Amino acid sequence: MAAAAEPGARAWLGGGSPLLGSPTSSPELGAGSRSRSGPGSGPGSGPERAGARPPGPAALGHIFRKVTLTKPTFCHLCSDFIWGLAGILCDACNFMSHEKCLKHVRTPCASVAPSLVHVPVAHCFGPRGLYKRKFCGVCRKGLEAPGLRCEVCELHVHLDCVPFACSDCRQCHRDGYRDHDLHLHHWREGNLPSGARCEVCRKTCGSSDVLAGLRCEWCGVQAHSVCSTALAPECTFGRLRTMVLPPACVRLLSRNFSKMHCFRISESATPEPGEGEDSVDASAPAGPGRELVVPESSKQTLKIFDGNDSVLRNHSRAITVPRQARNQEVLEAALRAYYITEDPQHFQLQALPQPAQAGDLGALGRFWSGGTVEEEGSRGPGARDGAEAWIIRARPRTQEVLKIYPAWLKVGVAYVSIRVTPQSTARTVVQEVLPLLGCQDEGPESFQLVEALMGSRQVQRTVLAAEEPLLDRLHDIRQTSLRQMGQTRFYVAENRAVAPRVSLFVGGLPPGLSLQEYSSLLDEAVASKAGLVSVSHVYSTQGAVVLDVACFAEAERLYMLVRDTSVHGRLLTALVLPDVLVPCFRVLVCGGDGTVGWVLAALEEMRHRLACPEPAVAILPLGTGNDLGRVLRWGAGYSGEDPFSVLVSVDEADAVLMDRWTILLDAHETGSGEDGVADAEPPKVVQMSNYCGIGIDAELSLDFHQAREEEPGKFTSRFHNKGVYVRVGLQKISHSRSLHREIRLQVERREVELPSIEGLIFINIPSWGSGADLWGSDSDSRFEKPRMDDGLLEVVGVTGVMHMGQVQGGLRSGIRIAQGAYFRVTLLKATPVQVDGEPWVQAPGHMIISAAGPKVHMLRKAKQKPKKSGTPKDVRAEGTPAPEGDSK
């Protein structure tokens, strides 16, 4: 949900926490805020408007103190070495600074980061991994063991720091209500490349020693934290602006779905911190899975829980304190462990009995209903001996000040603060807030109060009932989890009726079924509710469908259920499909020629449903031969180029046209009589972009395909794959089947006599078999000069494996047979056939090859340097430029 910013204020999203942009304005800090107060802080007097104030260290939530340094330490602001024995350290988030740098600090403490987020967006954490020389965005310490990384905004965190990560991920979509008049930089702190240069001062801003420096996740601009304030807050999306989908162009109308549900990201199977593991020692050295530190005899380790939820889940954090420490000191250490910087007077420690620690639900119930509280000074020094667990409780409050944020309303403040009493309900709060937001003429019945839990993995929104007592609601949240209270925000939103509609993609189904068969299969597997769910699109060849769901709750249920359901022994996949509001776009296919063909077929299938019916396609060649990639100048194969340079090449590429061809396969079995013909299998249609081979060429492809199916793990190298091709070719070097006697060829309905050949190949592009020129460059008056967009195919014959090897070596070309736009091939025997590298054995029958409707738009990489003269091969690959108007 959005919170409108003050006029002239900068709303920044940064590293482990948001960064304030201007020293003159802070859109999320209300007047009277204190350094130790977070969202929903203690009692106040009357409603307040958010005011502008300099964001000094106190306003940023840090608890700085001077410490004595015992090892080499670097400043988190300037990243320089801290000389001497004294440094300035934040007790909550471990921010370390020179004393001279303290006045320039703009990075908020992790304890107040949720209150500074402009638009809360959950992260998309991938599987756990080793991230060397990276730093956690929450505790700011090094990732010395497996951690997590957000696949969207590159936030790195320890496993046990995930619950405390700020929901400040990059916003990739809008939800159907919010207007985006301005796109701001999305700053992520630290973990920059070693050679990163500041956009302002041009000095090095990256560091491999600490979490320092900023990078915009949209445009890639890098800067020092101090220098970033000199940059304009608006983001232009950088060099790739024509290829970036800004949030305004992607709409996801949902209740609790987020971009995580739209991406095929493998989520971490790691249990939440505390599940089946020892507690996390919040005072121990950094690192996920940090083991409990054995304290000195003068110290003791205590388990700390922050509410009922953490007790049920056994999610605790451990603190090490002196045995002589008073309860006030222990309470302050416990609050720091959970990044809580509110006044300790608002909290107290409650001893957790052993049966409750062991998960005894009966003991937990008795404890929650009437547990005893240890007050300050009630226990003498050394009375905490032994293994003990404590729970932090908020003291009862008769009133408190609550921040209310305007959702989707264009007003001049980021939030207003009001006093909540036992008589306050959601309805009375709305009535009190509207005049403060300048909406006094609006009826309160047109608005509602929405509670948003801003978790690091999901932002959950709940509409509160009109008569919900708000003070009781806040008490319940704190009893559940003090950490969650710091991540909870309240919005006043327009109560507009929204027709729920969620598009849910379901994959992994058996291919080749009809719409009715898919509907019946899904009804049986997940019991979808009639009247709420319908199949809107069927992708039969891929075994996938799209469901239109007219209920948010049913869409959420189906999404979770589908991901845990198997059909015919295969696990289903589910993705939420957003609406992409882009009239023109380009497609980058990462794969081999077969993948390119599949994408072109899919685009053709959905052409009538696309806003851009003819998108141009670029190629990142990851296959073995990559013949189409060679022709379009994308190279023989990807060899580790910088992804940024690849995207720049896509942006600068020229659109050209290419023919696509349809091959109708009509197989028959010949009976005993002359007219005895019976259908062996129904006719099928395949699409062709590059070439179609019959005979020895397809036989070698089939042998390679079968070898790869038997041992797929060995076929991960392009060099190894070509070696296998050579080996199977040598095995067939003396093979002869006299293909010209087993097939018949008609070109433009005219019979063509075939020479003595072992393979017949139809080519659409001037590259075959990993870059060989099968047609040749010699001029021939019988045929037109070939082009990939001329509406014609060239037919070439090869006499065997030796001939094919000579062609690939550039010593010979193929035997030119014909050129045309319509072909009919009759197979008298079962014969190997391959289309764009996909081989099979085709039964006797007919093959009809003809043009497949409109030409497709491809992207040809621009030449790096102009050449004085091009080779004939270059000229033939040029094709005709596509019509203007294509957009990236």
Side-chain angles (χ1 to χ4, degrees):
M1 297 188 176
E6 278 186 275
R10 298 183 181 182
W12 300 79
L13 296 175
S17 45
L19 301 189
L20 301 178
S22 169
T24 61
S25 174
S26 173
E28 299 290 307
L29 291 175
S33 298
R34 297 186 301 171
S35 64
R36 301 185 67 90
S37 61
S41 54
S45 57
E48 303 175 19
R49 285 181 178 269
R53 56 181 307 210
L60 299 173
H62 292 293
I63 307 175
F64 284 122
R65 64 184 175 93
K66 185 173 290 187
V67 294
T68 301
L69 304 178
T70 59
K71 59 181 181 180
T73 307
F74 295 84
C75 176
H76 290 196
L77 183 70
C78 67
S79 70
D80 289 340
F81 184 78
I82 300 179
W83 295 96
L85 300 178
I88 305 297
L89 174 70
C90 174
D91 279 336
C93 70
N94 301 311
F95 188 97
M96 178 69 72
S97 169
H98 290 105
E99 188 169 3
K100 64 179 182 180
C101 292
L102 198 58
K103 60 182 178 181
H104 300 296
V105 173
R106 293 292 181 269
T107 303
C109 181
S111 59
V112 301
S115 67
L116 304 181
V117 174
H118 186 54
V119 180
V121 180
H123 294 285
C124 297
F125 292 114
R128 60 155 58 181
L130 284 171
Y131 301 101
K132 297 181 180 179
R133 310 296 291 180
K134 300 295 184 181
F135 296 88
C136 176
V138 177
C139 70
R140 309 185 68 86
K141 298 180 181 179
L143 293 177
E144 299 170 355
L148 298 181
R149 173 184 180 272
C150 177
E151 301 293 335
V152 175
C153 72
E154 301 181 85
L155 172 70
H156 293 77
V157 291
H158 292 121
L159 298 178
D160 55 270
C161 289
V162 171
F164 304 96
C166 183
S167 56
D168 65 342
C169 191
R170 184 170 61 182
Q171 185 184 7
C172 297
H173 64 81
R174 61 174 177 159
D175 54 16
Y177 305 98
R178 194 179 302 112
D179 293 330
H180 292 265
D181 299 329
L182 194 65
H183 297 290
L184 305 177
H185 289 294
H186 185 102
W187 296 111
R188 177 62 63 218
E189 185 182 17
N191 298 318
L192 303 181
S194 58
R197 293 282 177 179
C198 176
E199 185 73 13
V200 179
C201 67
R202 306 309 301 170
K203 296 180 181 179
T204 301
C205 59
S207 173
S208 59
D209 300 301
V210 291
L211 191 73
L214 301 176
R215 179 180 184 273
C216 175
E217 292 298 316
W218 283 114
C219 66
V221 166
Q222 301 168 138
H224 294 103
S225 175
V226 175
C227 294
S228 65
T229 59
L231 297 172
E234 298 84 7
C235 181
T236 61
F237 299 109
R239 172 64 183 80
L240 301 177
R241 67 180 63 89
T242 58
M243 306 181 69
V244 172
L245 276 178
C249 294
V250 183
R251 181 176 60 197
L252 181 62
L253 185 61
S254 67
R255 185 173 62 180
N256 286 320
F257 285 131
S258 68
K259 63 179 179 294
M260 183 67 185
H261 304 96
C262 303
F263 300 151
R264 199 183 299 269
I265 297 177
S266 299
E267 298 184 62
S268 174
T270 308
E272 292 290 337
E275 289 185 357
E277 300 177 354
D278 288 335
S279 304
V280 175
D281 188 353
S283 59
R290 291 176 273 189
E291 299 179 355
L292 289 176
V293 174
V294 179
E296 304 171 4
S297 59
S298 62
K299 296 184 178 181
Q300 65 179 147
T301 298
L302 303 175
K303 279 186 174 183
I304 303 297
F305 297 88
D306 78 324
N308 299 345
D309 184 68
S310 62
V311 174
L312 279 174
R313 297 172 179 268
N314 193 26
H315 289 186
S316 66
R317 293 175 72 81
I319 61 172
T320 301
V321 295
R323 293 186 183 276
Q324 302 299 319
R326 297 180 60 82
N327 275 21
Q328 179 70 13
E329 297 170 339
V330 177
L331 175 59
E332 290 178 356
L335 291 173
R336 286 196 301 269
Y338 282 94
Y339 297 93
I340 299 172
T341 56
E342 294 184 51
D343 192 338
Q345 294 181 4
H346 296 155
F347 304 93
Q348 56 195 358
L349 285 175
Q350 187 173 6
L352 192 64
Q354 283 291 344
Q357 296 180 45
D360 186 332
L361 296 181
L364 284 173
R366 293 190 297 273
F367 165 70
W368 287 333
S369 61
T372 59
V373 175
E374 298 291 344
E375 298 291 348
E376 165 64 28
S378 64
R379 310 188 71 184
R384 286 180 294 271
D385 293 338
E388 293 188 20
W390 296 74
I391 185 169
I392 311 173
R393 289 298 193 192
R395 295 181 184 274
R397 307 184 186 188
T398 58
Q399 64 177 10
E400 58 182 295
V401 173
L402 186 65
K403 298 174 183 176
I404 306 295
Y405 294 77
W408 314 309
L409 300 175
K410 292 185 177 181
V411 295
V413 295
Y415 67 84
V416 294
S417 298
I418 65 169
R419 180 168 44 185
V420 176
T421 66
Q423 291 74 39
S424 299
T425 64
R427 184 195 305 275
T428 62
V429 167
V430 170
Q431 292 173 343
E432 187 175 357
V433 165
L434 288 179
L436 300 176
L437 297 177
C439 301
Q440 57 271 14
D441 297 333
E442 303 285 346
E445 65 280 354
S446 302
F447 295 85
Q448 58 190 4
L449 195 62
V450 180
E451 175 189 305
L453 174 57
M454 305 183 297
S456 62
R457 295 179 183 269
Q458 186 177 10
V459 177
Q460 296 178 315
R461 298 173 177 85
T462 304
V463 178
L464 300 184
E467 302 305 322
E468 175 93 34
L470 213 53
L471 200 61
D472 292 345
R473 181 77 178 186
L474 298 178
H475 173 75
D476 292 342
I477 295 174
R478 288 193 175 96
Q479 287 290 102
T480 300
S481 171
L482 291 175
R483 172 180 54 82
Q484 288 186 13
M485 184 62 217
Q487 297 175 339
T488 300
R489 182 179 289 182
F490 293 88
Y491 290 91
V492 59
E494 292 181 86
N495 188 15
R496 59 173 67 175
V498 178
R501 186 185 66 82
V502 178
S503 296
L504 193 62
F505 174 89
V506 179
L509 296 167
L513 302 183
S514 64
L515 186 149
Q516 292 74 18
E517 290 173 322
Y518 281 125
S519 298
S520 301
L521 191 62
L522 287 173
D523 288 341
E524 181 181 348
V526 297
S528 56
K529 296 181 180 179
L532 296 178
V533 183
S534 61
V535 179
S536 60
H537 302 98
V538 174
Y539 303 100
S540 180
T541 55
Q542 288 81 40
V545 299
V546 176
L547 304 179
D548 272 354
V549 188
C551 173
F552 289 140
E554 176 66 4
E556 293 165 10
R557 185 189 74 87
L558 285 177
Y559 177 85
M560 301 302 298
L561 189 58
V562 165
R563 289 164 59 92
D564 293 329
T565 301
S566 296
V567 173
H568 296 176
R570 186 179 179 186
L571 191 65
L572 300 182
T573 59
L575 292 173
V576 178
L577 300 181
D579 294 327
V580 181
L581 311 177
V582 180
C584 296
F585 58 89
R586 288 184 168 187
V587 178
L588 174 62
V589 180
C590 304
D593 290 343
T595 305
V596 176
W598 179 86
V599 171
L600 291 174
L603 290 173
E604 177 63 29
E605 186 176 350
M606 61 180 71
R607 176 192 298 267
H608 63 284
R609 296 192 294 269
L610 294 177
C612 178
E614 296 178 343
V617 177
I619 304 171
L620 183 67
L622 301 179
T624 301
N626 301 312
D627 288 293
L628 186 55
R630 295 169 188 265
V631 168
L632 297 174
R633 301 195 193 122
W634 296 107
Y638 178 68
S639 56
E641 292 86 355
D642 177 31
F644 180 82
S645 64
V646 172
L647 293 176
V648 170
S649 297
V650 174
D651 185 38
E652 296 174 347
D654 303 317
V656 296
L657 298 175
M658 184 181 74
D659 296 325
R660 283 270 285 171
W661 299 84
T662 296
I663 303 178
L664 174 65
L665 304 171
D666 191 6
H668 295 84
E669 288 186 356
T670 305
S672 56
E674 182 177 351
D675 297 328
V677 177
D679 286 340
E681 58 184 36
K684 65 178 182 179
V685 176
V686 296
Q687 302 290 330
M688 183 193 88
S689 300
N690 300 355
Y691 38 69
C692 169
I694 304 173
I696 187 63
D697 166 54
E699 193 170 346
L700 296 184
S701 295
L702 185 60
D703 289 347
F704 172 84
H705 177 76
Q706 292 172 345
R708 183 168 55 184
E709 290 292 312
E710 292 175 0
E711 297 179 292
K714 293 184 178 181
F715 290 77
T716 58
S717 163
R718 192 176 297 116
F719 180 79
H720 175 270
N721 294 353
K722 292 184 177 180
V724 174
Y725 264 118
V726 172
R727 188 181 70 238
V728 298
L730 292 175
Q731 294 171 352
K732 303 282 185 179
I733 197 166
S734 60
H735 175 79
S736 176
R737 64 181 296 162
S738 300
L739 181 69
H740 59 286
R741 299 176 181 174
E742 298 177 358
I743 64 174
R744 299 287 184 268
L745 172 65
Q746 288 185 0
V747 180
E748 307 291 358
R749 306 186 185 279
R750 178 176 58 84
E751 195 80 21
V752 174
E753 183 177 355
L754 295 175
S756 177
I757 56 174
E758 295 296 323
L760 186 68
I761 305 169
F762 299 82
I763 54 177
N764 185 48
I765 62 174
S767 180
W768 166 88
S770 301
D773 188 358
L774 191 59
W775 182 261
S777 58
D778 295 339
S779 59
D780 193 328
S781 59
R782 298 176 301 166
F783 306 109
E784 296 183 16
K785 185 178 181 179
R787 291 202 323 270
M788 63 181 185
D789 65 339
D790 58 4
L792 300 174
L793 282 180
E794 289 69 52
V795 186
V796 182
V798 292
T799 59
V801 174
M802 184 67 72
H803 187 184
M804 292 170 59
Q806 292 171 332
V807 171
Q808 291 184 327
L811 302 177
R812 294 179 60 185
S813 58
I815 302 173
R816 297 178 180 179
I817 295 177
Q819 189 180 54
Y822 181 86
F823 307 87
R824 183 185 184 94
V825 180
T826 303
L827 303 180
L828 304 180
K829 294 182 180 179
T831 307
V833 174
Q834 67 95 0
V835 174
D836 292 344
E838 301 298 323
W840 70 92
V841 176
Q842 179 65 26
H846 301 292
M847 293 176 56
I848 299 177
I849 306 176
S850 58
K855 303 177 189 296
V856 294
H857 294 240
M858 303 299 295
L859 289 173
R860 184 182 60 219
K861 186 176 181 180
K863 293 182 179 179
Q864 299 301 317
K865 295 181 180 179
K867 297 181 179 180
K868 295 181 179 180
S869 60
T871 63
K873 184 175 180 179
D874 290 333
V875 175
R876 292 175 50 211
E878 291 296 313
T880 302
E884 293 295 329
D886 170 71
S887 174
K888 295 86 173 174

